[in-house]
Amino acid sequence: MKVAYLLQVLSAAACLCAAEDSGPGWQWSWACKSGRCVKSEYPISYASSRGISNITRKSQSACRLTCGQYGALWPHPTGPTTIGEQVVAFHPSIIRFDLLEVVDSGRGTREYLAACTQLFLDNLLVECGANCSVVSDTDVYVRLVTRSQDLTLNWNTDETYTLDIVTSSRVNSVTVNIRAETVYGARHGLETLSQLVARVPAPLGGGGRGHSSPRKHLLIMATNVRLSDAPIFRHRGLMLDTARNFLPLYAMKRTLDAMAASKLNVLHWHATDSQSFPLESPRVPQLARRRFGAYSSRQVYTPQDVAYLLEYARLRGVRIIMELDAPSHAGNGWQWGEAAGLGQLAVCVNQQPWRKYCIQPPCGQLNPTNPNLYRVLRDLYRDILDIFPRGEPLHMGGDEVYFPCWNSSAEIVNWMEARGQGRGQADFLQLWADYQSTALGTLDEEVGHSNTPIILWSSHLTEPGVIESFLNKDRYIIQTWVPASSSLPVELLAKGYRVIYSTKDTWYLDHGFWGSTVYHNWRVVYDNRIPRKAGVLGGEACMWSELVDNQSLDAKVWPRTAAMAERLWADPETRSSSAEARFYRHRQRLVTRGIRADAVSPAYCYQNEGECQ
Ligand SMILES: *[C@@H]1O[C@H](CO)[C@@H](O)[C@H](O)[C@H]1NC(C)=O
Ligand SMILES: *[C@@H]1O[C@H](CO)[C@@H](O)[C@H](O)[C@H]1NC(C)=O
Ligand SMILES: *[C@@H]1O[C@H](CO)[C@@H](O)[C@H](O)[C@H]1NC(C)=O
Ligand SMILES: *[C@@H]1O[C@H](CO)[C@@H](O)[C@H](O)[C@H]1NC(C)=O
């Protein structure tokens, strides 16, 4: 009984005779030819196939699994990779895990790996679906070895791993070895392993074990595999905006699942903006709930929500960087100062006609001249520090400060005048810089040191001509959102700043839906290369949420962000056309895992690899 399930993928020259009857169903078959899965001229029928049949081994997913240098892997590994043609059928319930660590087992490490293996099994069960055939003739051992007990996830985390799959001399036993420095590398290894598995139609009866329905499926795993892998860029991010439209926790969890599937490692959470302040602060409850900074009492993130999401992300190899955008993009949530005897914490809030006071309605800008503002910020920072690991970067926003707003406030103008300042551009720039350094000083006092990395959007303040007089290059990382043609990132790098690229004309996912902006399809996203230079931390796709909520989030973010994920993980010399078959497969994978990823081609092009280029 233990013999039947070692499948040899047949050689390419396959004669497939026309199906004789329509039977209960039929399907096309595929054969791998020069790295491409080529569809047969005629379909084969379920009725005419028995045992471990052509239906199983010639299905498209079986072909794609082992065809070409990288099979179905996304993003592709960066080290030497071989994927042999041999596959075995197995069921997730028979996988045995060995969680080995070279150093004495750290409890945290073990727990992390145990959680990862569960997520891995869940993904396999989802892949196999409701009618998963319980074929258990092959024993699968997965051995996970990590060397470090360090559970820190940051820009220095070693994400490398090696993976090999060998069929041992024991009949029908397969051993998977995943070796990594850290648990995060091991997690990536398990993700890769899940992509070395495919769902295929189970054969009709005759193969034993009662698979009698053609609607059943089984899982196969590639077996002669050897690869090593490490990312090119260490910051591979997605920005979600939860202020223009609120995103429920489950939408963010879904997004994190898709990020994990694509080996992205940073969720940049643009939590607040002038439209709403959904982040609940125990020390300053007025911001979200009590004075209506949130859209409703339910559309808030409690500290428990944030902590939960942080852990949810960590188990998927993703860290969360919180952004509190300031001093601009702050309005609703900040109106209560005067009533509370703290003076105006923000000015121009919701002021009309908005075009006079801001770039996008509703208006609002923090009031840097009010000392009470910094008391409130201090409390807010303390709330953040209660939840986030110490040393985690904070994104302090800093985009689109609009001077006419400050200039319209008698309080601010008088304050500047009293210090002998004028009302020119340079004076307001100085005011902004003073705000930034006072806010940072406040944060540093709460943290207890001055080493927290700070991220800011590129802005007037980060112009190469002035940045050095305002922002210390050892402290500040600049997230540039200029077009690919702009020299700004390179100029900042030359001055010694670290840079995160959010190339506006490729990685801004909101484009194409408003004004004269243009939609960037996955090829444009994929083909955007950023320099491999010291100081380039990586990149981020940005999902500004004016026109997105839970209903359309997945389709706008996925699978395009996965295209960026391979660019940042592997940075291939080749362009999107070489990645097409694997990308289409990955889109399918995301859909299988519950992500409503958008369609990226007619099914014809998915079935006929390379024919639509
Ligand atoms: C499977 O395909 C092979 C080669 O293409 C063919 O010789 C064989 O008859 C097929 N088997 C079945 C059961 O259809
Ligand atoms: C599972 O199989 C049953 C019986 O063949 C069928 O009615 C059902 O639709 C199948 N479910 C799925 C999810 O394929
Ligand atoms: C501020 O307002 C004054 C008076 O209207 C004007 O002269 C000045 O140019 C304004 N400054 C800026 C930076 O807009
Ligand atoms: C949120 O989006 C998901 C996926 O598109 C959908 O299944 C779910 O029903 C949506 N929830 C609400 C409350 O609309």
Side-chain angles (χ1 to χ4, degrees):
M1 268 327 264
K2 281 215 160 210
V3 211
Y5 295 99
L6 199 59
L7 310 179
Q8 207 83 37
V9 171
L10 291 182
S11 68
C15 149
L16 291 168
C17 306
E20 272 156 36
D21 60 76
S22 52
W26 55 270
Q27 72 171 33
W28 297 103
S29 68
W30 281 261
C32 181
K33 292 177 187 159
S34 325
R36 205 180 263 198
C37 288
V38 179
K39 192 165 94 170
S40 64
E41 203 172 336
Y42 302 105
I44 44 180
S45 103
Y46 288 134
S48 65
S49 50
R50 299 251 156 234
I52 290 300
S53 67
N54 291 339
I55 284 282
T56 294
R57 83 186 102 189
K58 294 185 171 220
S59 66
Q60 188 181 11
S61 53
C63 177
R64 179 75 341 265
L65 186 64
T66 60
C67 191
Q69 192 186 358
Y70 300 120
L73 301 180
W74 192 276
H76 75 65
T78 52
T81 303
T82 52
I83 302 173
E85 288 190 342
Q86 221 171 54
V87 298
V88 290
F90 73 104
H91 188 270
S93 65
I94 53 94
I95 299 182
R96 299 284 167 266
F97 292 97
D98 257 338
L99 311 183
L100 302 174
E101 291 130 55
V102 169
V103 196
D104 278 68
S105 58
R107 199 165 143 262
T109 318
R110 247 167 210 286
E111 278 174 4
Y112 186 94
L113 292 175
C116 281
T117 56
Q118 194 51 54
L119 293 175
F120 164 77
L121 287 175
D122 291 347
N123 281 334
L124 294 194
L125 288 170
V126 165
E127 181 76 28
C128 202
N131 291 334
C132 193
S133 168
V134 188
V135 176
S136 57
D137 299 67
T138 307
D139 296 326
V140 178
Y141 297 96
V142 178
R143 305 171 76 225
L144 290 168
V145 181
T146 59
R147 288 180 197 87
S148 165
Q149 292 182 40
D150 189 355
L151 294 170
T152 319
L153 181 56
N154 62 23
W155 289 311
N156 299 322
T157 297
D158 186 332
E159 296 176 284
T160 61
Y161 67 92
T162 63
L163 183 154
D164 59 71
I165 308 180
V166 287
T167 36
S168 67
S169 47
R170 269 185 57 208
V171 185
N172 292 337
S173 155
V174 167
T175 304
V176 181
N177 291 301
I178 294 173
R179 295 187 183 81
E181 186 62 30
T182 66
V183 291
Y184 302 106
R187 192 220 74 87
H188 292 325
L190 281 172
E191 180 56 51
T192 299
L193 181 58
S194 77
Q195 300 187 1
L196 289 162
V197 169
R199 170 177 115 151
V200 295
L204 290 171
R209 306 269 168 133
H211 352 92
S212 53
S213 162
R215 289 208 184 118
K216 279 212 169 193
H217 291 97
L218 57 81
L219 291 180
I220 57 172
M221 182 189 285
T223 55
N224 290 332
V225 176
R226 193 171 196 85
L227 64 89
S228 66
D229 200 5
I232 301 289
F233 292 103
R234 50 196 153 146
H235 185 106
R236 304 180 305 280
L238 167 66
M239 190 215 73
L240 283 187
D241 168 3
T242 59
R244 271 55 181 264
N245 278 305
F246 181 80
L247 291 175
L249 222 50
Y250 56 79
M252 299 180 78
K253 286 165 62 180
R254 218 165 59 225
T255 306
L256 285 163
D257 294 344
M259 290 178 72
S262 310
K263 299 195 176 83
L264 290 167
N265 67 356
V266 178
L267 177 69
H268 164 183
W269 188 353
H270 181 88
T272 66
D273 212 292
S274 60
Q275 286 86 352
S276 79
F277 198 106
L279 205 59
E280 199 168 273
S281 158
R283 290 182 178 83
V284 199
Q286 297 92 328
L287 285 168
R289 228 188 259 256
R290 299 234 187 107
R291 293 289 169 179
F292 318 135
Y295 284 128
S296 78
S297 61
R298 297 178 137 207
Q299 288 170 300
V300 293
Y301 305 102
T302 65
Q304 292 74 30
D305 291 339
V306 177
Y308 172 83
L309 211 58
L310 217 58
E311 181 63 4
Y312 190 91
R314 193 180 73 91
L315 292 175
R316 287 157 182 79
V318 180
R319 65 180 170 143
I320 297 182
I321 294 179
M322 181 59 83
E323 177 184 352
L324 300 171
D325 203 350
S328 192
H329 290 282
N332 285 288
W334 291 95
Q335 316 94 314
W336 49 276
E338 280 178 296
L342 299 180
Q344 283 200 307
L345 298 171
V347 293
C348 321
V349 179
N350 300 339
Q351 202 161 327
Q352 293 289 354
W354 65 266
R355 280 189 176 79
K356 279 181 72 179
Y357 306 101
C358 60
I359 293 168
Q360 181 192 55
C363 298
Q365 230 157 255
L366 297 181
N367 175 4
T369 67
N370 181 352
N372 290 325
L373 170 66
Y374 302 99
R375 284 176 44 198
V376 174
L377 284 175
R378 181 183 301 275
D379 281 341
L380 190 54
Y381 295 150
R382 285 163 72 187
D383 287 337
I384 299 289
L385 292 168
D386 283 348
I387 307 171
F388 282 80
R390 293 275 150 153
E392 229 7 33
L394 181 68
H395 199 307
M396 295 177 78
D399 59 323
E400 298 186 323
V401 171
Y402 198 61
F403 296 151
C405 163
W406 280 341
N407 202 8
S408 73
S409 154
E411 182 186 341
I412 292 176
V413 168
N414 292 341
W415 186 89
M416 291 171 74
E417 209 165 82
R419 307 193 159 214
Q421 284 176 302
R423 295 171 75 175
Q425 292 277 341
D427 301 297
F428 284 104
L429 201 58
Q430 188 60 51
L431 178 67
W432 179 1
D434 290 345
Y435 161 81
Q436 183 55 41
S437 76
T438 311
L440 180 64
T442 308
L443 174 73
D444 285 351
E445 280 169 27
E446 286 311 315
V447 175
H449 61 67
S450 307
N451 304 323
T452 311
I454 304 298
I455 308 174
L456 284 183
W457 293 106
S458 56
S459 70
H460 301 320
L461 209 57
T462 69
E463 285 299 315
V466 299
I467 185 169
E468 283 160 311
S469 35
F470 300 128
L471 306 170
N472 175 350
K473 66 178 166 47
D474 298 323
R475 249 358 250 294
Y476 286 98
I477 294 145
I478 311 303
Q479 181 167 10
T480 56
W481 55 292
V482 290
S485 59
S486 168
S487 60
L488 176 71
V490 174
E491 289 177 58
L492 293 175
L493 289 165
K495 290 187 181 297
Y497 290 88
R498 285 163 293 168
V499 169
I500 296 164
Y501 279 73
S502 286
T503 317
K504 187 183 186 166
D505 51 358
T506 58
W507 292 349
Y508 261 37
L509 305 176
D510 60 314
H511 280 197
F513 301 94
W514 58 272
S516 57
T517 56
V518 174
Y519 183 86
H520 317 305
N521 66 30
W522 78 270
R523 292 172 196 282
V524 174
V525 172
Y526 190 91
D527 291 337
N528 182 45
R529 291 195 79 174
I530 63 174
R532 294 194 205 179
K533 275 192 176 164
V536 179
L537 295 180
E540 269 182 27
C542 297
M543 186 71 264
W544 299 105
S545 73
E546 284 89 347
L547 304 174
V548 176
D549 64 11
N550 176 62
Q551 301 301 325
S552 55
L553 179 72
D554 293 15
K556 280 187 175 157
V557 175
W558 307 104
R560 287 190 293 165
T561 300
M564 184 199 66
E566 175 154 299
R567 173 55 58 205
L568 292 175
W569 179 279
D571 191 28
E573 297 292 330
T574 49
R575 292 168 65 88
S576 54
S577 50
S578 314
E580 198 178 86
R582 285 183 302 106
F583 186 69
Y584 293 170
R585 172 68 185 94
H586 190 59
R587 183 265 173 175
Q588 205 54 48
R589 176 179 296 128
L590 294 174
V591 171
T592 303
R593 294 191 189 179
I595 316 299
R596 299 208 167 182
D598 209 353
V600 280
S601 78
Y604 179 88
C605 303
Y606 182 37
Q607 290 194 346
N608 295 273
E609 294 184 359
E611 304 231 331
C612 300
Q613 284 175 6

